[in-house]
Amino acid sequence: MGGFLSFCYRQLTVKPKPLPSNTSLKGKTALITGANSGLGLEAAKQLATHHVSRLILTVRDAEKGEAARTSILEKTPNTNVEIWTLDHEFYDSIVAFQQRVSTLDRLDYALLNAGVKKMEYSTAQTGHETNVQINHIGTSAVSFAVLRALRKTAHQLNAPTRLTIVSSEGHFWIPFHERKAETILERMDDKATFGHQMQRYYTTKLLNVLWTRNLASKVPAEEVVINTVNPGFCYSGLHRHESTGIIKIFLWAFGWTSAQGGHCLVDALVQHDGSHGKYLSDQKETAPSAFVLSEEGKTAETRIWDETIALLQKEVPGVNMSPFV
């Protein structure tokens, strides 16, 4: 897995399936970040059809969130859909989100789907490169925010809850030269390292895989099952910053629908009992890239964890990272 021909073959031959029709999520609470459109919204719609009792959609734009809520209620009018604002680019937003999550009486599922694919170098409000800020730093901070609520629910129910972080098969395809820098995340803020087209985006998806594996190693599977998922190459607003037309050609030739991508996300979130710290692709457990599994990859995994913790402690002291620090 991970080669271009393998990618093309699977995109053409694999047909993602929805959850079994008899799967009931009645009584459960699910939270999805980046859920106002694309795969996040499709995942939300599918959870609603399986009678999830409370569905929390986090969005940057509340108006777009209400439009998403309306589209869900058109088919599943009895679903309790809540719209929460969350912007990975602003630390105050992440801290406020954490405080709100702490008030939940239960949280069974958290799908961290929010992300961006910037094709040209830019910096976020925090000063970090935008892909790195939103896809890695923001997602890592949000993972701590939801983890406390997930663990609390697991203890109350004496059953594991679920945390799934969205990555990409693209993590196979990048050289990750930044791993050789004295400080990886600082080096990734350097414009000179941005690379071409989707290279920086895919590097942040590698960081998602490394982060998920290390986080899972610190949380018992009996409390929270933590995995990362590749949703496949799908029609989605994620591609809105691509202007060359190449992506449109590939989508026409190989792309899955947003609904099929949603199938992959929901499958990873709800299915696969017994998995933990795994990379899920094509709706099954799959080995991540050879780099991730190598000794060098394990070293990078530890460094990314340590650097991210240090960064969050310095820049976002309001984010509660206990018991990890």
Side-chain angles (χ1 to χ4, degrees):
M1 184 171 178
F4 178 72
L5 292 179
S6 173
F7 159 78
C8 295
Y9 176 77
R10 285 181 292 102
Q11 284 287 141
L12 290 172
T13 60
V14 174
K15 303 299 179 185
K17 298 179 176 59
L19 288 178
S21 59
N22 62 352
T23 301
S24 175
L25 304 178
K26 187 175 182 180
K28 308 286 189 180
T29 295
L31 181 150
I32 304 176
T33 66
N36 65 280
S37 63
L39 307 191
L41 178 56
E42 288 296 334
K45 290 178 178 179
Q46 292 177 36
L47 292 176
T49 64
H50 289 275
H51 312 295
V52 68
S53 294
R54 187 179 188 182
L55 187 55
I56 300 170
L57 311 183
T58 82
V59 299
R60 288 185 299 168
D61 185 321
E63 185 175 343
K64 291 181 179 179
E66 288 301 327
R69 180 177 182 272
T70 298
S71 69
I72 293 171
L73 295 179
E74 285 176 354
K75 293 189 176 181
T76 53
N78 295 323
T79 307
N80 176 14
V81 183
E82 300 180 13
I83 304 301
W84 293 12
T85 56
L86 172 63
D87 192 332
H88 287 198
E89 193 169 352
F90 295 90
Y91 290 140
D92 287 349
S93 178
I94 294 173
V95 172
F97 168 76
Q98 177 182 262
Q99 293 170 346
R100 191 171 185 183
V101 169
S102 69
T103 67
L104 291 173
D105 59 342
R106 71 181 292 169
L107 180 61
D108 302 270
Y109 301 105
L111 176 64
L112 304 192
N113 165 75
V116 68
K117 185 176 71 175
K118 288 279 190 174
M119 308 290 280
E120 297 181 358
Y121 180 86
S122 64
T123 55
Q125 294 290 329
T126 58
H128 298 295
E129 192 278 320
T130 305
N131 291 281
V132 175
Q133 173 62 43
I134 294 176
N135 299 345
H136 172 64
I137 299 171
T139 294
S140 299
V142 170
S143 70
F144 285 127
V146 298
L147 193 54
R148 294 173 64 82
L150 290 166
R151 296 181 78 184
K152 177 183 175 182
T153 300
H155 292 158
Q156 291 172 340
L157 301 178
N158 195 30
T161 51
R162 309 290 288 255
L163 169 60
T164 302
I165 297 177
V166 178
S167 181
S168 168
E169 182 172 0
H171 86 273
F172 282 83
W173 304 339
I174 46 89
F176 194 32
H177 295 309
E178 299 89 345
R179 72 189 187 279
K180 299 178 181 179
E182 183 176 349
T183 305
I184 296 172
L185 295 180
E186 285 187 9
R187 184 63 174 154
M188 291 182 71
D189 282 337
D190 187 341
K191 185 176 181 179
T193 70
F194 187 77
H196 302 287
Q197 293 293 316
M198 295 178 285
Q199 192 171 41
R200 175 47 51 85
Y201 167 73
Y202 286 146
T203 303
T204 62
K205 295 290 100 179
L206 171 61
L207 299 189
N208 289 155
V209 174
L210 298 175
W211 179 262
T212 300
R213 288 169 63 86
N214 207 303
L215 186 63
S217 74
K218 301 178 187 302
V219 179
E222 294 76 17
E223 290 185 353
V224 186
V225 173
I226 303 174
N227 292 315
T228 186
V229 59
N230 164 38
F233 182 58
C234 308
Y235 285 88
S236 168
L238 180 69
H239 308 299
R240 62 188 178 276
H241 297 293
E242 199 279 334
S243 59
T244 66
I246 295 175
I247 291 295
K248 291 181 180 179
I249 295 172
F250 271 85
L251 284 170
W252 174 80
F254 302 108
W256 290 343
T257 65
S258 292
Q260 288 174 315
H263 294 336
C264 293
L265 297 188
V266 171
D267 170 83
L269 186 65
V270 176
Q271 305 280 72
H272 306 284
D273 292 340
S275 62
H276 191 53
K278 301 299 183 180
Y279 171 70
L280 305 174
S281 186
D282 301 336
Q283 299 187 309
K284 60 185 179 182
E285 291 184 26
T286 306
S289 71
F291 171 77
V292 170
L293 298 176
S294 69
E295 288 303 315
E296 191 175 15
K298 293 175 184 177
T299 298
E301 177 184 312
T302 300
R303 290 186 61 197
I304 288 297
W305 175 270
D306 291 342
E307 288 185 22
T308 305
I309 294 293
L311 185 153
L312 293 176
Q313 285 180 310
K314 178 181 178 181
E315 299 185 8
V316 208
V319 171
N320 190 336
M321 294 181 282
S322 64
F324 304 107
V325 296

